[in-house]
Amino acid sequence: MLNDILSIKNLAREEIEKAESLKEIQDLKVKYLGKKGILTGKIKSLGSIPQEDRREYGRILNEAKIYIEDLLGKYEETFNTAELNKILQTQRIDVTVPGCYIPIGRLHPTTQVLDEIIKIFTSLGFNVEEGPEIELDFYNFEALNMPKNHPARDMQDTFYISDDVVLRTHTSSVQVRVMQNNVPPLRVIAPGKVYRCDADVTHIPMFHQLEGFMVDKNITMSDLKGVLEVFIHMVFGVDTKLRFRPSFFPFTEPSAEIDISCVICKGAGCNVCKNTGWLEILGAGMINPRVFEMAGYDPEEYTGFAFGMGIERVAMLKYGIDDIRLFYENDKRFLEQF
Ligand code: DAH
């Protein structure tokens, strides 16, 4: 009996010492000390030992158990430490290594200004509407009181796709589309790309505009003035002055061009405002009754105002940019300034 225990002890020690992994140690633990383990079996059979030997036998059995437990524990710890070290070695992170620089993009200045303008008008209760960039001649011209051969068409150098289809030359084309599908009151802005066959320091073939209009009973020019004043003050500051200059557009009557006091010299005169103290910023007016008729509205019942502006132009004035082409050259040195 005692020899039995001794050989179990020896065998366990041999096996434990030969183990090469934590897993093997865990298996040996089960093999010797588990519920059906070899040593556990011996402990369970203690009852069948004659009374007089049982005490001594139990003591030796217990000793062997503690011995194996301790040995297993020691090896377990060794393997645990080794495994941890391995993980620490292979998955080492040097927190002092400088991080790699990930350049972060930003919104294009045109988008930034457009977003700002949209935010202002939506806060005034205007809804955003969109129309197609490839537009029918009807919505771009005819419905805006510019029939074929109307001289005002020459004001805009149009890209014609066919006799009846153009690349829209302005976002005013959205006006009649919206009116046809809605009943007043209307408070709408229509931002988007427009196209003109033109290119120099202040003109590019594709640029952005924002059209705005308001239609209801009893809309007057003072509503136009009030809305534009709020808008200009929010974009350029409350000290900015506005000036309405009589002008002509076929789709508005009366029409005006709106100037703001020069953002650079505050009106004193500089080369940006060509010493006039004023900068032209947008076109506007009271919607021509002919346009209402085209949309199927009764011009006796409704009145409204409309205005249109170039987004790049607003951005140029806001940031003092003198060449519109900079917006589309994708020069990082330019773009990173916004
Ligand atoms: N559509 C005009 C343009 O492209 C801008 C404009 C002027 C829009 C007067 C309007 C307006 O709504 O009333 O130059």
Side-chain angles (χ1 to χ4, degrees):
M1 252 324 188
L2 288 179
N3 279 347
D4 236 13
I5 301 172
L6 211 62
S7 59
I8 292 174
K9 203 173 140 182
N10 282 337
L11 194 64
R13 193 193 51 206
E14 262 175 47
E15 285 200 287
I16 293 170
E17 282 173 355
K18 265 196 282 178
E20 286 178 343
S21 70
L22 186 62
K23 169 87 174 63
E24 278 176 48
I25 290 294
Q26 283 162 347
D27 289 346
L28 287 172
K29 197 176 194 169
V30 173
K31 182 173 173 183
Y32 287 97
L33 304 174
K35 253 193 207 149
K36 292 177 182 160
I38 299 172
L39 206 66
T40 318
K42 292 286 171 199
I43 294 170
K44 273 182 189 161
S45 64
L46 208 59
S48 63
I49 301 293
Q51 181 84 48
E52 65 270 24
D53 295 336
R54 202 179 290 163
R55 220 189 135 122
E56 176 66 358
Y57 186 77
R59 191 184 58 80
I60 294 171
L61 209 49
N62 202 42
E63 231 175 58
K65 188 183 168 217
I66 292 172
Y67 175 80
I68 296 173
E69 264 176 2
D70 283 354
L71 199 62
L72 281 167
K74 217 173 83 192
Y75 273 79
E76 204 167 43
E77 202 182 305
T78 314
F79 281 120
N80 266 333
T81 317
E83 217 128 296
L84 185 67
N85 282 338
K86 207 165 104 194
I87 291 172
L88 288 178
Q89 276 302 319
T90 53
Q91 305 183 5
R92 204 165 127 196
I93 296 171
D94 183 351
V95 292
T96 64
V97 170
C100 27
Y101 168 69
I102 302 167
I104 297 174
R106 66 196 77 202
L107 294 177
H108 192 278
T110 309
T111 310
Q112 286 186 35
V113 170
L114 190 53
D115 285 351
E116 183 186 346
I117 296 174
I118 289 173
K119 210 158 149 193
I120 293 171
F121 281 109
T122 49
S123 77
L124 292 173
F126 284 73
N127 295 319
V128 179
E129 298 275 358
E130 280 178 313
E133 290 169 28
I134 299 173
E135 183 56 286
L136 292 173
D137 181 282
F138 176 78
Y139 290 110
N140 196 80
F141 290 124
E142 223 148 308
L144 295 172
N145 196 28
M146 283 181 275
K148 288 217 151 79
N149 303 320
H150 191 289
R153 287 191 178 208
D154 295 343
M155 285 161 66
Q156 305 176 350
D157 307 273
T158 312
F159 287 112
Y160 278 90
I161 289 179
S162 71
D163 274 356
D164 298 320
V165 181
V166 301
L167 292 185
R168 69 176 175 194
T169 58
H170 53 184
T171 42
S172 305
S173 59
V174 182
Q175 273 189 36
V176 171
R177 280 186 174 273
V178 171
M179 287 183 207
Q180 281 178 337
N181 294 312
N182 296 277
V183 278
L186 299 179
R187 261 179 293 183
V188 173
I189 49 169
K193 295 185 171 77
V194 300
Y195 301 84
R196 290 183 197 182
C197 189
D198 204 354
D200 60 41
V201 191
T202 51
H203 298 90
I204 36 176
M206 186 286 296
F207 59 103
H208 294 79
Q209 276 192 342
L210 182 129
E211 182 82 7
F213 53 97
M214 186 160 168
V215 181
D216 201 355
K217 291 171 179 161
N218 305 316
I219 298 290
T220 69
M221 204 137 181
S222 75
D223 296 306
L224 171 66
K225 194 175 171 221
V227 167
L228 290 182
E229 204 166 76
V230 169
F231 162 68
I232 293 294
H233 285 173
M234 286 178 91
V235 176
F236 294 101
V238 285
D239 300 334
T240 314
K241 291 192 186 70
L242 276 79
R243 178 172 80 172
F244 279 56
R245 228 175 342 99
S247 185
F248 171 80
F249 298 101
F251 33 92
T252 42
E253 181 59 38
S255 303
E257 275 172 295
I258 285 85
D259 301 333
I260 58 172
S261 50
C262 181
V263 288
I264 305 294
C265 64
K266 308 285 170 212
C270 66
N271 56 357
V272 172
C273 60
K274 301 196 184 80
N275 281 317
T276 62
W278 295 98
L279 299 164
E280 185 190 323
I281 182 134
L282 50 82
M286 298 307 291
I287 296 174
N288 194 310
R290 300 286 293 271
V291 175
F292 283 140
E293 278 166 14
M294 287 292 196
Y297 285 7
D298 179 0
E300 296 296 326
E301 190 180 357
Y302 294 116
T303 54
F305 66 73
F307 58 87
M309 70 186 93
I311 303 301
E312 285 85 352
R313 171 134 185 101
V314 175
M316 286 170 84
L317 296 181
K318 192 174 161 78
Y319 296 117
I321 299 162
D322 57 6
D323 187 340
I324 196 171
R325 292 171 296 199
L326 282 167
F327 285 94
Y328 296 99
E329 280 168 358
N330 282 333
D331 186 334
K332 269 177 75 193
R333 291 167 302 178
F334 172 74
L335 296 173
E336 274 169 359
Q337 294 177 49
F338 302 94

Coordinates of all heavy atoms in Angstrom, one line a residue, residues 273-310:
C273 N -12.6 97.4 -53.7 CA -13.9 98.0 -54.1 C -13.6 99.0 -55.2 O -14.6 99.8 -55.5 CB -14.6 98.5 -52.9 SG -13.7 99.9 -52.1
K274 N -12.5 99.0 -55.8 CA -12.1 100.0 -56.8 C -12.4 101.4 -56.4 O -13.0 102.2 -57.1 CB -12.8 99.6 -58.1 CG -12.4 98.2 -58.6 CD -12.7 98.0 -60.1 CE -12.4 96.6 -60.6 NZ -13.5 95.6 -60.2
N275 N -12.1 101.7 -55.1 CA -12.4 103.0 -54.5 C -13.8 103.5 -54.5 O -14.0 104.7 -54.3 CB -11.5 104.1 -55.3 CG -10.1 104.0 -54.8 OD1 -9.8 103.9 -53.5 ND2 -9.1 104.0 -55.7
T276 N -14.8 102.6 -54.7 CA -16.1 103.0 -54.6 C -16.7 102.8 -53.2 O -17.7 103.4 -52.8 CB -17.0 102.1 -55.5 OG1 -17.0 100.8 -55.1 CG2 -16.6 102.2 -57.0
G277 N -16.0 102.0 -52.4 CA -16.5 101.7 -51.0 C -17.6 100.7 -51.0 O -18.1 100.2 -50.0
W278 N -18.0 100.2 -52.2 CA -19.1 99.2 -52.3 C -18.7 98.0 -53.1 O -17.9 98.0 -54.0 CB -20.3 99.8 -53.0 CG -20.9 100.9 -52.2 CD1 -20.7 102.3 -52.4 CD2 -21.8 100.8 -51.1 NE1 -21.4 103.0 -51.5 CE2 -22.1 102.1 -50.6 CE3 -22.4 99.8 -50.4 CZ2 -23.0 102.4 -49.6 CZ3 -23.3 100.0 -49.3 CH2 -23.5 101.4 -48.9
L279 N -19.3 96.8 -52.7 CA -19.1 95.6 -53.5 C -20.4 95.0 -53.8 O -21.3 94.9 -53.0 CB -18.4 94.6 -52.6 CG -17.0 95.0 -52.0 CD1 -16.6 94.1 -50.9 CD2 -16.0 94.9 -53.2
E280 N -20.6 94.6 -55.1 CA -21.8 94.0 -55.6 C -21.9 92.6 -55.1 O -20.9 91.8 -55.2 CB -21.9 94.0 -57.1 CG -23.2 93.6 -57.7 CD -23.1 93.4 -59.2 OE1 -22.4 94.2 -59.8 OE2 -23.7 92.4 -59.7
I281 N -23.0 92.2 -54.5 CA -23.1 90.9 -53.9 C -24.2 90.0 -54.5 O -24.1 88.8 -54.6 CB -23.1 90.9 -52.4 CG1 -23.1 89.5 -51.8 CG2 -24.3 91.7 -51.8 CD1 -22.2 89.3 -50.7
L282 N -25.4 90.6 -54.8 CA -26.4 89.8 -55.3 C -27.5 90.6 -56.1 O -27.5 91.8 -56.1 CB -27.1 89.0 -54.2 CG -27.6 89.6 -52.9 CD1 -29.0 90.3 -53.1 CD2 -27.7 88.6 -51.8
G283 N -28.3 89.8 -56.9 CA -29.3 90.4 -57.6 C -30.7 90.0 -57.0 O -30.8 88.9 -56.4
A284 N -31.7 90.9 -57.1 CA -32.9 90.6 -56.5 C -34.0 91.4 -57.1 O -33.8 92.2 -58.0 CB -32.8 90.9 -55.0
G285 N -35.2 91.2 -56.6 CA -36.4 92.0 -57.1 C -37.7 91.4 -56.7 O -37.7 90.3 -56.0
M286 N -38.8 92.0 -57.1 CA -40.1 91.5 -56.9 C -40.4 90.6 -58.1 O -40.3 91.0 -59.3 CB -41.1 92.6 -56.8 CG -40.9 93.5 -55.6 SD -40.7 92.7 -54.0 CE -42.4 92.1 -53.8
I287 N -40.9 89.4 -57.8 CA -41.1 88.4 -58.9 C -42.1 89.0 -59.9 O -43.2 89.5 -59.6 CB -41.7 87.1 -58.3 CG1 -40.6 86.4 -57.4 CG2 -42.1 86.1 -59.4 CD1 -41.0 85.2 -56.6
N288 N -41.7 88.9 -61.2 CA -42.5 89.4 -62.3 C -43.8 88.6 -62.4 O -43.8 87.4 -62.4 CB -41.6 89.3 -63.6 CG -42.2 90.1 -64.7 OD1 -43.4 90.0 -65.0 ND2 -41.3 90.9 -65.3
P289 N -44.9 89.4 -62.5 CA -46.2 88.7 -62.7 C -46.2 87.7 -63.8 O -46.9 86.7 -63.8 CB -47.2 89.9 -63.0 CG -46.5 91.1 -62.4 CD -45.0 90.9 -62.5
R290 N -45.4 87.9 -64.8 CA -45.3 87.0 -66.0 C -44.8 85.6 -65.5 O -45.2 84.6 -66.0 CB -44.4 87.5 -67.0 CG -44.8 88.8 -67.6 CD -46.0 88.7 -68.5 NE -45.7 87.9 -69.7 CZ -45.2 88.5 -70.9 NH1 -45.1 89.8 -70.9 NH2 -45.0 87.7 -71.9
V291 N -43.9 85.6 -64.5 CA -43.4 84.4 -64.0 C -44.5 83.6 -63.2 O -44.6 82.4 -63.3 CB -42.2 84.6 -63.0 CG1 -41.7 83.4 -62.4 CG2 -41.0 85.3 -63.8
F292 N -45.3 84.4 -62.4 CA -46.4 83.8 -61.7 C -47.4 83.1 -62.7 O -47.9 82.0 -62.5 CB -47.1 84.8 -60.9 CG -46.4 85.1 -59.6 CD1 -46.4 86.4 -59.1 CD2 -45.8 84.1 -58.8 CE1 -45.7 86.8 -57.9 CE2 -45.1 84.4 -57.6 CZ -45.1 85.7 -57.2
E293 N -47.6 83.8 -63.8 CA -48.5 83.3 -64.8 C -48.0 81.9 -65.4 O -48.7 81.0 -65.6 CB -48.7 84.3 -66.0 CG -49.8 85.3 -65.6 CD -49.8 86.5 -66.6 OE1 -49.1 86.4 -67.7 OE2 -50.3 87.5 -66.2
M294 N -46.7 81.9 -65.6 CA -46.0 80.7 -66.2 C -46.2 79.5 -65.2 O -46.3 78.4 -65.6 CB -44.6 81.0 -66.4 CG -44.3 81.8 -67.6 SD -44.7 81.0 -69.1 CE -43.9 82.0 -70.3
A295 N -46.2 79.9 -63.9 CA -46.3 78.8 -62.9 C -47.7 78.5 -62.6 O -48.0 77.5 -61.8 CB -45.6 79.3 -61.6
G296 N -48.7 79.2 -63.1 CA -50.1 78.9 -62.9 C -50.6 79.6 -61.6 O -51.7 79.3 -61.1
Y297 N -49.9 80.6 -61.2 CA -50.4 81.4 -60.0 C -51.1 82.7 -60.5 O -50.8 83.2 -61.6 CB -49.2 81.9 -59.2 CG -48.5 80.9 -58.3 CD1 -48.9 79.5 -58.4 CD2 -47.6 81.2 -57.4 CE1 -48.3 78.6 -57.6 CE2 -46.9 80.3 -56.6 CZ -47.3 79.0 -56.7 OH -46.6 78.1 -55.9
D298 N -52.1 83.1 -59.7 CA -52.8 84.4 -60.0 C -51.9 85.5 -59.5 O -51.8 85.7 -58.3 CB -54.1 84.3 -59.4 CG -54.9 85.6 -59.7 OD1 -54.4 86.5 -60.4 OD2 -56.1 85.7 -59.2
P299 N -51.4 86.4 -60.4 CA -50.5 87.5 -60.0 C -51.3 88.6 -59.3 O -50.7 89.4 -58.6 CB -50.0 88.1 -61.3 CG -50.6 87.3 -62.4 CD -51.6 86.3 -61.9
E300 N -52.6 88.5 -59.3 CA -53.4 89.5 -58.6 C -53.5 89.0 -57.1 O -53.7 89.8 -56.2 CB -54.9 89.5 -59.1 CG -55.0 90.1 -60.5 CD -54.5 91.5 -60.6 OE1 -54.7 92.3 -59.7 OE2 -53.9 91.9 -61.7
E301 N -53.3 87.7 -56.9 CA -53.5 87.2 -55.6 C -52.2 87.2 -54.8 O -52.1 87.4 -53.6 CB -54.1 85.7 -55.6 CG -54.5 85.2 -54.3 CD -55.1 83.8 -54.4 OE1 -55.2 83.2 -55.5 OE2 -55.4 83.2 -53.3
Y302 N -51.1 86.8 -55.6 CA -49.8 86.6 -54.9 C -48.8 87.6 -55.3 O -48.8 88.1 -56.5 CB -49.3 85.2 -55.2 CG -50.1 84.1 -54.5 CD1 -50.8 83.2 -55.3 CD2 -50.3 84.0 -53.1 CE1 -51.6 82.2 -54.8 CE2 -51.1 83.0 -52.6 CZ -51.7 82.1 -53.4 OH -52.5 81.2 -52.8
T303 N -47.9 87.9 -54.4 CA -46.7 88.7 -54.8 C -45.5 87.9 -54.1 O -45.7 87.1 -53.3 CB -46.7 90.1 -54.2 OG1 -47.0 90.1 -52.8 CG2 -47.8 91.0 -55.0
G304 N -44.3 88.3 -54.5 CA -43.2 87.6 -53.9 C -41.9 88.3 -54.3 O -41.8 89.1 -55.2
F305 N -40.9 88.0 -53.6 CA -39.5 88.5 -53.9 C -38.6 87.3 -54.3 O -38.9 86.2 -53.9 CB -38.9 89.4 -52.9 CG -38.6 88.7 -51.6 CD1 -37.5 87.8 -51.5 CD2 -39.3 88.9 -50.4 CE1 -37.2 87.2 -50.3 CE2 -39.0 88.3 -49.2 CZ -37.9 87.4 -49.1
A306 N -37.6 87.6 -55.0 CA -36.6 86.6 -55.3 C -35.2 87.3 -55.3 O -35.0 88.5 -55.4 CB -36.8 86.0 -56.7
F307 N -34.2 86.4 -55.0 CA -32.8 86.9 -55.1 C -31.9 85.8 -55.5 O -32.3 84.6 -55.3 CB -32.4 87.5 -53.7 CG -32.5 86.5 -52.6 CD1 -31.4 85.7 -52.3 CD2 -33.6 86.4 -51.8 CE1 -31.5 84.8 -51.3 CE2 -33.7 85.5 -50.8 CZ -32.6 84.7 -50.5
G308 N -30.8 86.1 -56.0 CA -29.8 85.1 -56.4 C -28.4 85.6 -56.2 O -28.1 86.8 -56.4
M309 N -27.5 84.7 -55.7 CA -26.1 85.1 -55.5 C -25.2 84.0 -55.8 O -25.6 82.8 -55.9 CB -25.9 85.5 -54.0 CG -26.0 84.3 -53.1 SD -26.0 84.8 -51.4 CE -27.7 84.9 -51.0
G310 N -24.0 84.4 -56.1 CA -22.9 83.4 -56.4 C -22.2 83.0 -55.1 O -21.8 83.9 -54.4

